[in-house]
Amino acid sequence: MEKLTVSLSILILYTLLMLVVIINSGGIVNPVNGQEQEKTWCVAKPSSSDAELTANINFACDNLKDCRLIQPNGACYNPNTNINHASVVMNLYYQSNGRNSWNCDFKDSGLISKNDPSYGDCHYP
């Protein structure tokens, strides 16, 4: 009986510890102290190759189904560069899929920024 009590106590302590770890890591509760999560954006790494950027544009646009922002006359068309267009649609993909770090990986060609990359009429959500 004593062995069962010790085992039960260890199980309870382990469960409580795991619950604390999950809550503190944001696994269950995203807001911290009742505040919203810090805003972040996904952009292309400056070191990305044109082939990587093109692949990211194609992947994001295939999944988003709407890439008018980077089309001619779109708010984010200029500057008309692969890194700009990729950053815009990579961020749209990242935002629409929950802002998880893995939604900004893009085969290690994306990075998460705490600085809003919006410019002129091009507003990153």
Side-chain angles (χ1 to χ4, degrees), residues 8-125:
L8 186 57
S9 297
I10 291 172
L11 179 62
I12 290 170
L13 284 173
Y14 177 78
T15 303
L16 289 172
L17 176 63
M18 292 308 297
L19 185 58
V20 167
V21 168
I22 290 170
I23 290 172
N24 285 336
S25 70
I28 293 177
V29 181
N30 281 335
V32 179
N33 298 326
Q35 298 175 1
E36 284 189 32
Q37 207 174 21
E38 182 178 24
K39 183 72 173 157
T40 54
W41 296 266
C42 178
V43 295
K45 285 184 180 176
S47 60
S48 301
S49 70
D50 273 343
E52 290 171 313
L53 297 172
T54 299
N56 294 348
I57 292 168
N58 292 337
F59 173 81
C61 287
D62 286 348
N63 284 278
L64 294 168
K65 309 292 186 224
D66 183 8
C67 284
R68 287 179 285 180
L69 280 173
I70 63 168
Q71 299 300 319
N73 299 318
C76 300
Y77 178 72
N78 286 315
N80 182 14
T81 62
N82 272 354
I83 194 158
N84 176 62
H85 292 176
S87 292
V88 170
V89 297
M90 288 166 66
N91 182 65
L92 288 173
Y93 179 85
Y94 170 72
Q95 300 295 333
S96 67
N97 285 284
R99 289 179 22 198
N100 301 297
S101 60
W102 55 86
N103 298 124
C104 185
D105 185 59
F106 293 92
K107 296 183 180 177
D108 201 34
S109 63
L111 61 89
I112 295 174
S113 173
K114 292 183 179 182
N115 298 317
D116 185 352
S118 297
Y119 59 93
D121 291 332
C122 181
H123 301 286
Y124 281 58

